[in-house]
C-alpha cells in the first residue's frame, strides 16, 4: 500500500506543484478560502487527519507488538541462539569439546560461545512467617565464570564466580515474587524434601538469568537429585557469531554443524530464530488486524471529508458559477479544489502522524493492562512506518478531494449564479443502460473467472445485482428497483458464508471490512429511497407538527448528504456491535471449553517429576472422587517436507485404562469403528495401542496413519483414532497409551500430571486451591479446567476490548461529523432561517427542527449499525467455518442498549449548539445578500 500511495502522489505532485508555483490564479483561489474560513479549514484538516492517525497507529501497533516479542530475545535468551539437549550430565563436557573442535576446523566459524548447563524443575520458597513458594522453577546448574564469559553484556552477578555449593543466584523477577534479597535464606523443595540455600545475590532478569530464574554452581543438581540423569536435562546454550539478532541469521548453518558434530539424535531448539520469526508474523498480523478494524473508521473519516467538501462547494456555488462565467474552465476549478485539498492533506498528514503516535501509545498501554500476558509491551516508533502512515493518509485525502471536486464542479452556470438547485440527473438512457450492462457483465465474468476467491465470491454477485437497477427501472418504479436489487445484493453479502462454505471457510480478516462496507452501503441506499415512509412516520409521531416536517425536509431533500452521514455512523457502530457480540459469545463458552478439554474431570494437577505423588494418594482425599495419572514425553512427527509439522517437537501424553473412571474429553471426530467416544479412548489407552488422539488444530485426519519418532530417530506408525477440540488449552495435543509413550522415551515417562474428578458437593476451585497450597513444596500446581478456559477467554476479551477502544475514535468521528455538518448547515441555511423567522416561525420551532434532523440521522445510523453488526456476527458464527464449531450465538442486549442510547444522546448533545445558533438567526441580518 505504501508503494501504491507513493506512486499516486508522485503522479499528482507535479501538477499540484505547477499550479502552486506557476498558476497564481489557481493558487489564490485555493489559498483565499483557507484564509477566509480558518475554522472550516480546521474542520477539513481534522477530518482528513483522523484517517492518517488511524493508519499510522495501525503500523505503530504492529511494530510495537513485534518489538515486544523481539524483546524476549534480549530478556530471556541474550546471546543464546540454539538450545541443545545432549543427554546426561556426563555428556556435557565432551559435547562442548566436539562442537568447538568442529567449528574450529570449519572454514567459516559459526559459534562465538558455548555454555554447558543442566536443568532441573524444583519448587522454591522463602522462609519465615510470610513465606512464599513458587511450585515450578527451572534451576540452572552452570559454571558462573563461564556464564559471565558467555554473555559479558549481561553478567549474572558480580563475584558470581565464587558461588558456593549452598548458594544460588536469583533473578530480579523471582526475588520480587518471593520477597528475598542477597543474604536471605531460601528453600528448595525436591521430592518432598526441603533443602536450605542462601541467596548469593540478585541478578537482572535477562539472558541466562531470564531463561532460568535460579542459578546454582556445578554439582548442585548431583547433590540435590539422587538420580540426576533420570530427572534432569543437560545440554548446551549456543551463541552464533553476531549480535543478539544477527546471530539468528546463521541458525540453519549452526544446526547443520551441531548435528554433524554431535549426531542427529541430539535435540536442537532454534529458540532465537523461532522467536524472531514469530515476532515478524505477529507484527504483520497486528498491522493487518488494526488496519482492517481501523479501516471502518478511515472510511467514516473519508465520508466526513466528502461531506465537508460537498458543503463547501454548495456554499461556494454562486462563486463558482461567477468564475465559470468570466472564463474559468471546470478543470481550473477542479485544480483549485485539488490544491486546496493538498494543503489540507499535508497539514493533516503531519498532525495525523502525531495523533497516531499518541493513539498507538494509548492502545499499547491498554494492551499491557488488558492482555493476561507476561509480555512486556514496548512502544516502537519505526521511521518507515511513520512515513508510510503519512503517505497513505495523504493519498486517501487527496484522492477523496480530487474525486469529490470532479463531481461537485458539474454545474449549470446560470443556475449556479442564481444559487438555484441543480435538476435531478438520471443520465441519458442509453448511457445508463450501457453502465448497467457493463456492470452486470463484469460481475458475471468475475464470478466465473475467480468465483473460488472469497472476496470475488462476495463482491461479484452483489455488483451484478446492483447493476440491474438501470436495466429494470424503466419497467418498474425506480424505488422498487433500488430496493429489490440492493436487497438481493445485501442478502447475498450477508449469507455468502453459509451459502459457499467451501469458498469462505478460511476468510482473511480484510474480508470482514469488505463485507461491512458492502452491507452498510447497500442498506444505506435502501433506506434513502424510503423518504416518503420516513415522512409519514414522522407525521404520525409528531402529529404533523411543523418542527417534525422541517427536521425531515433537509435530510430528505439532500439524500446523498444524509446517506453519507448515516453510513459514517453505521460503519463504526457496525464494527463495535460485531465485537460486542464476539466478546459475549467467547466469554459465554467457558463451561463448554472446560468440558471439551477435561470431560467430566474437574481439575488437572501438575507436579515435578521428583515429587513422588501417586494417584492413590490423591484419591485418598475425601474431596476427590477419582484421580488418573498421566505420563509425559516429547515426540517428533515425520511428514512431507512442505508440511509445517515437519521437525516439530510435540509434547506427548500417555494414558491407561484409568482414564475411563470418569468421562474423558469428548471427541469432535472419531473413527467409525468405535461406537462412542469412550470406546475410542479405551482403544488408545490399551497397552501397545496403535492408535493416537490428536487435537484438531493441527489438521490431522481421522483414520490416516502418521509416523511419530523418538529422540533416537526411530519412527512408529500410529492411526488417528479421534480428534479433540481444545486440548491445546492444557498442553495435551497428542495422547497415546502409557506403554507406547515408554517406547518413544526409552523408559516409563514420568507421571507429572493427574486428572481429578471432585466428589459431589465439593467445590472444584476450592479443592484445586487447597491441593496447591498443601502440595506446593512438591511442585503441585492444581487448576480447574473451567478457570483455565476463563483465562484463555479473558485474553480474547481483553484483546476485543482493546479493539473496541481503538474503534472509539471512529465513533467520535461519526458523532463529531454530525455536529460539524449541523454547524455548517446553520451557515448554509441562514437565509432560509431568516425567511422563516420573518414569516413568524418561532425560534423554538427552528431549534426543535434541528434536534429532529440530528435524531433522524443518528437513529438511522444506530439502527443500521447495530442491526447489520448483529446479522453479520450471527451468520459468521452459525453459518460459516470461520470460528470453532459449536459456538452458541448470544446477544449482548444490555451492551447494545447502552451503545444505542449513548450514541443517540451524544448526537443530540452535538446538535444542541447548532440548534441554539440557528434559533438566534436574526431575519434582517440573514436576508442581506452579503454574509
Amino acid at each position: 500500500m505504501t508503494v501504491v500511495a507513493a506512486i499516486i502522489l508522485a503522479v499528482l505532485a507535479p501538477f499540484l506543484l505547477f499550479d502552486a508555483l506557476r498558476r497564481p490564479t489557481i493558487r489564490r483561489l485555493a489559498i483565499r478560502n483557507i484564509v477566509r474560513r480558518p475554522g472550516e479549514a480546521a474542520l477539513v484538516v481534522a477530518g482528513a487527519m483522523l484517517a492518517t492517525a488511524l493508519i499510522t497507529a495501525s503500523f505503530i501497533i504492529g511494530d510495537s507488538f513485534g518489538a515486544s516479542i523481539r524483546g524476549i530475545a534480549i530478556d530471556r535468551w541474550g546471546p543464546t541462539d540454539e538450545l541443545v539437549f545432549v543427554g546426561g550430565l556426563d555428556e556435557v563436557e565432551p559435547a562442548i569439546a566436539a562442537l568447538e573442535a568442529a567449528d574450529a576446523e570449519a572454514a567459516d566459524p559459526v559459534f562465538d560461545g558455548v555454555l554447558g548447563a543442566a536443568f532441573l524443575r524444583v519448587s522454591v520458597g522463602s522462609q519465615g512467617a510470610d513465606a512464599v513458594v513458587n511450585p515450578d522453577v527451572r534451576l540452572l546448574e552452570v559454571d558462573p565464570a563461564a556464564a559471565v564469559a558467555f554473555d559479558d553484556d549481561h553478567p549474572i552477578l558480580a563475584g558470581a564466580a565464587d558461588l558456593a555449593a549452598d548458594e544460588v543466584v536469583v533473578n530480579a523477577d523471582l526475588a520480587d515474587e518471593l520477597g528475598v534479597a542477597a543474604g536471605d535464606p531460601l528453600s528448595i523443595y525436591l521430592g518432598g524434601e526441603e533443602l536450605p540455600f542462601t541467596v548469593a545475590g540478585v541478578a537482572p532478569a535477562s539472558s541466562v538469568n531470564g531463561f532460568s530464574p535460579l542459578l546454582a554452581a556445578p554439582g548442585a543438581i548431583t547433590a540435590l537429585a539422587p538420580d540426576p540423569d533420570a530427572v534432569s536435562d543437560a545440554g548446551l546454550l549456543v551463541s552464533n557469531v553476531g549480535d543478539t539478532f544477527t546471530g539468528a541469521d546463521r541458525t540453519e548453518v549452526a544446526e547443520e554443524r551441531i548435528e554433524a558434530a554431535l549426531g542427529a539424535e541430539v535435540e536442537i531448539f532454534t529458540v532465537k530464530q523461532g522467536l524472531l520469526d514469530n515476532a515478524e508474523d505477529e507484527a504483520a498480523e497486528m498491522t493487518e488486524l488494526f488496519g482492517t478494524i481501523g479501516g471502518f473508521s478511515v472510511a467514516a473519516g473519508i465520508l466526513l471529508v466528502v461531506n465537508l467538501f460537498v458543503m463547501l462547494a454548495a456554499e461556494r456555488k454562486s462563486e463558482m458559477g461567477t468564475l465559470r462565467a468570466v472564463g474559468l474552465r471546470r478543470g481550473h476549478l477542479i485544480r483549485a479544489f485539488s490544491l486546496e485539498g493538498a494543503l489540507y492533506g499535508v497539514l493533516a498528514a503531519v498532525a495525523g502522524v502525531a495523533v497516531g503516535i499518541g493513539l498507538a501509545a494509548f492502545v499499547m498501554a491498554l494492551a499491557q493492562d488488558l492482555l493476561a500476558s507476561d509480555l512486556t509491551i514496548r512502544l516502537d516508533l519505526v521511521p518507515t512506518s511513520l512515513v508510510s502512515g503519512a503517505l497513505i493518509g495523504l493519498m486517501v485525502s487527496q484522492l477523496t478531494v480530487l474525486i469529490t471536486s470532479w463531481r461537485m464542479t458539474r454545474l449549470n452556470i446560470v443556475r449556479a449564479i442564481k444559487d438555484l438547485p441543480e435538476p435531478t440527473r438520471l443520465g441519458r438512457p442509453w448511457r445508463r443502460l450501457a453502465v448497467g450492462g457493463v456492470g452486470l457483465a463484469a460481475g458475471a465474468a468475475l464470478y466465473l473467472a475467480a468465483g473460488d476467491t472469497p472476496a470475488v465470491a462476495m463482491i461479484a454477485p452483489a455488483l451484478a445485482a446492483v447493476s440491474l437497477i438501470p436495466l429494470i427501472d424503466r419497467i418498474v418504479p425506480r424505488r422498487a428497483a433500488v430496493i429489490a436489487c440492493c436487497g438481493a445484493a445485501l442478502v447475498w453479502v450477508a449469507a455468502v458464508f453459509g451459502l459457499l462454505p467451501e469458498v469462505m471457510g478460511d476468510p482473511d480478516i480484510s474480508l470482514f471490512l469488505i463485507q461491512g462496507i458492502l452491507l452498510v452501503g447497500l442498506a444505506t441506499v435502501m433506506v434513502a429511497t424510503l423518504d416518503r415512509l420516513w415522512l409519514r412516520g414522522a407525521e404520525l409521531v409528531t402529529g404533523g407538527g411543523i418542527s417534525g416536517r422541517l427536521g425531515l425536509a433537509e435530510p430528505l431533500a439532500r439524500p446523498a448528504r444524509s446517506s453519507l452521514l448515516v453510513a459514517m455512523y453505521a460503519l463504526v457502530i457496525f464494527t463495535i456491535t460485531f465485537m460486542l457480540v464476539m466478546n459475549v459469545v467467547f466469554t459465554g463458552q467457558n463451561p463448554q471449553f472446560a468440558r471439551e478439554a477435561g470431560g467430566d474431570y474437574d481439575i488437572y494437577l501438575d507436579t515435578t517429576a521428583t515429587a513422588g505423588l501417586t494417584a492413590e494418594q490423591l484419591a485418598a482425599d475425601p474431596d476427590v472422587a477419582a484421580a488418573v495419572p498421566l505420563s509425559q514425553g516429547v515426540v517428533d512427527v515425520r511428514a512431507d517436507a512442505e508440511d509445517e509439522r515437519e521437525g516439530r517437537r510435540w509434547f506427548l501424553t500417555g494414558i491407561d485404562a484409568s482414564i475411563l473412571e470418569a468421562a474423558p474429553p469428548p471427541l469432535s471426530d472419531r473413527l467409525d469403528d468405535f461406537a462412542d467416544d469412550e470406546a475410542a479412548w479405551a482403544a488408545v489407552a490399551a497397552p501397545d495401542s496403535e492408535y493416537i488422539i490428536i487435537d484438531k488444530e493441527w489438521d490431522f485426519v481421522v483414520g490416516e496413519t502418521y509416523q511419530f519418532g523418538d529422540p533416537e530417530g526411530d519412527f512408529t506408525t500410529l492411526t488417528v483414532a479421534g480428534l479433540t477440540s481444545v486440548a491445546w488449552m492444557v498442553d495435551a495435543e497428542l495422547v497415546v497409551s502409557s506403554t507406547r509413550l515408554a517406547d518413544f522415551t526409552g523408559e516409563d515417562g514420568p507421571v507429572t500430571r493427574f486428572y481429578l474428578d471432585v466428589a459431589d458437593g465439593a467445590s472444584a476451585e476450592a479443592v484445586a486451591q487447597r491441593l496447591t497450597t498443601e502440595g506446593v513444596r512438591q511442585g503441585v500446581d492444581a487448576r480447574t479446567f473451567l478457570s483455565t478456559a476463563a483465562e484463555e477467554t479473558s485474553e480474547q476479551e481483553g484483546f476485543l476490548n482493546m479493539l473496541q477502544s481503538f474503534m472509539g475514535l471512529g465513533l467520535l468521528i461519526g458523532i463529531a461529523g454530525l455536529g460539524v455538518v449541523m454547524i455548517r448547515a446553520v451557515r448554509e441555511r441562514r437565509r432560509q432561517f431568516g425567511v422563516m423567522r420573518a414569516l413568524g416561525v418561532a425560534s423554538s420551532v427552528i431549534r426543535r427542527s434541528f434536534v429532529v434532523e440530528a435524531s433522524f440521522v443518528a437513529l438511522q445510523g444506530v439502527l443500521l449499525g447495530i442491526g447489520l453488526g448483529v446479522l453479520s456476527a450471527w451468520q459468521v458464527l452459525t453459518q460459516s467455518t470461520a470460528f470453532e464449531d459449536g459456538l452458541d450465538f448470544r446477544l449482548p442486549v444490555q451492551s447494545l442498549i447502552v451503545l444505542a442510547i449513548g450514541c443517540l444522546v451524544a448526537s443530540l448533545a452535538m446538535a444542541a449548539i447548532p440548534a441554539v445558533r440557528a434559533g438566534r438567526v436574526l431575519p434582517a441580518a440573514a436576508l442581506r445578500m452579503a454574509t
Side-chain angles (χ1 to χ4, degrees), residues 52 135 165 302 314 369 413 415 564 707 769 801:
T52 303
I302 292 172
D369 294 335
I413 296 176
R415 286 181 174 273
L564 290 174
Q707 291 185 307
Q769 292 178 0
N801 288 336

Side-chain angles (χ1 to χ4, degrees), residues 68-88:
S68 300
I69 296 174
R70 286 193 299 272
I72 300 175
I74 300 174
D75 296 340
R76 181 175 298 174
W77 297 110
T80 303
D81 294 295
E82 293 87 31
L83 180 61
V84 183
F85 290 110
V86 297

Side-chain angles (χ1 to χ4, degrees), residues 2 53 150 161 240 483 564 607 693 719 727 733-734 776 876 907:
T2 304
F150 179 73
N240 300 341
I483 292 175
L564 290 174
T607 184
I693 288 176
T719 302
E733 296 171 293
L734 275 68
V776 70
V876 168
S907 301

Side-chain angles (χ1 to χ4, degrees), residues 618-807:
L618 292 169
D621 190 303
D623 290 331
V624 176
V628 176
L630 288 82
S631 53
Q632 293 182 310
V634 178
V635 67
D636 197 359
V637 176
R638 177 173 290 176
D640 306 5
E642 297 180 357
D643 195 317
E644 65 178 4
R645 297 173 299 210
E646 174 67 20
R648 185 185 188 274
R649 299 290 180 178
W650 301 74
F651 289 104
L652 192 66
T653 297
I655 62 173
D656 57 27
S658 63
I659 192 68
L660 299 176
E661 289 189 26
L667 301 177
S668 62
D669 192 13
R670 68 172 184 270
L671 272 175
D672 294 335
D673 298 347
F674 305 117
D676 52 30
D677 291 350
E678 290 195 9
W681 282 100
V684 173
D688 299 321
S689 170
E690 297 184 356
Y691 290 110
I692 185 171
I693 288 176
I694 307 179
D695 192 276
K696 69 177 184 180
E697 179 186 11
W698 293 101
D699 297 328
F700 287 88
V701 179
V702 170
E704 294 292 329
T705 58
Y706 298 88
Q707 291 185 307
F708 299 86
D710 58 25
E712 302 298 326
D714 297 328
F715 284 79
T716 302
T717 300
L718 297 177
T719 302
V720 179
L723 301 176
T724 54
S725 296
V726 293
W728 52 266
M729 195 172 71
V730 292
D731 296 325
E733 296 171 293
L734 275 68
V735 181
V736 296
S737 69
S738 55
T739 56
R740 179 64 68 186
L741 175 65
D743 293 339
F744 284 117
T745 60
E747 57 190 355
D748 290 339
V751 175
T752 58
R753 171 167 288 188
F754 298 88
Y755 280 4
L756 307 180
D757 179 24
V758 301
D760 293 340
S763 167
E765 196 64 45
V767 173
Q769 292 178 0
R770 178 174 60 80
L771 291 175
T772 298
T773 302
E774 293 175 352
V776 70
R777 296 185 177 185
Q778 296 173 295
V780 171
D781 183 13
R783 298 184 180 187
T784 64
F785 288 99
L786 185 60
S787 66
T788 301
E791 287 180 9
E792 292 292 334
T793 55
S794 69
E795 288 201 16
Q796 293 174 336
E797 182 180 6
F799 194 77
L800 289 173
N801 288 336
M802 185 172 63
L803 289 175
Q804 289 172 27
S805 299
F806 187 68
M807 285 301 299

Side-chain angles (χ1 to χ4, degrees), residues 45 49 52-53 56 344-357 389-391 394:
V45 170
M49 176 201 69
T52 303
T56 304
Y344 293 142
V346 171
L347 294 174
V350 175
V353 169
V355 174
I357 293 173
L391 287 177
L394 182 58

Side-chain angles (χ1 to χ4, degrees), residues 343-432:
L343 296 175
Y344 293 142
V346 171
L347 294 174
V350 175
V353 169
V355 174
I357 293 173
L359 178 59
F362 171 72
V363 171
M364 299 313 292
L366 280 180
Q368 189 69 76
D369 294 335
L370 294 177
L371 299 183
S373 172
D374 295 331
L375 183 67
T376 300
I377 301 297
R378 294 170 166 86
L379 182 66
D380 189 33
L381 302 179
V382 180
T384 54
S385 294
L386 302 182
V387 172
S388 295
L391 287 177
I392 296 174
L394 182 58
M395 176 201 69
V396 170
S397 62
Q398 193 60 39
L399 287 180
T400 300
V401 171
L402 183 62
I403 295 172
T404 306
S405 301
W406 176 82
R407 176 66 181 87
M408 66 191 182
T409 52
R410 294 177 59 191
L411 48 83
N412 180 279
I413 296 176
V414 175
R415 286 181 174 273
I417 294 174
K418 294 182 178 181
D419 198 17
L420 297 175
E422 294 291 323
T424 302
R425 291 191 180 96
L426 293 178
R428 298 178 180 177
W430 66 267
R431 183 181 297 174
R432 296 179 61 248

